[in-house]
Amino acid sequence: MSDIAALLKSEITRLSKKVVRQQAASLQKASTAHRRQLAALKKQVGDLQKEVTRLRRAAANAVPDVEADAPGRKLRFVAKGLKPLRTRLGVSAREFGLLIGVSEQAVYNWETRRATPRAAQLEKIAELRGVGKKEVRARLAALEGEAAEA
């Protein structure tokens, strides 16, 4: 009897191990597939985050390109941008003041943040941002010609 019991026990053990292996194999395949999916999704999320960062930078760089004289737009004055504007245009503080209709001292005070320009002066400064050196020289010549005639 003990041989039959031992034989049944070993057969039951063998069959149960076989069933467990089959179930484990399918679970292992599913687990591997899930891991691959997760890796692909992580890569996709990383790519999307890079794209969002790139688009944010592009949007941040595109904001200053809006025209300064758009109707209804309030102009801001940033003092540290005035001297580079003058340098780009190749004019002195006196000439810049002449273009805007203010004194050399007013331009100096704006650059050193001791004063800020009025709204009408801001519009003239914004207008000068879109002008090149040749146009500035032509305007200065016209202004100095008018001053010589008067």
Side-chain angles (χ1 to χ4, degrees), residues 18-29:
K18 181 179 175 184
V19 170
V20 167
R21 269 196 302 268
Q22 288 173 347
Q23 295 293 327
S26 66
L27 288 175
Q28 193 173 20
K29 286 180 185 177

Side-chain angles (χ1 to χ4, degrees), residues 30-43:
S31 175
T32 304
H34 291 302
R35 276 196 227 109
R36 282 190 192 127
Q37 266 186 325
L38 281 173
L41 288 173
K42 283 182 182 179
K43 184 180 182 316

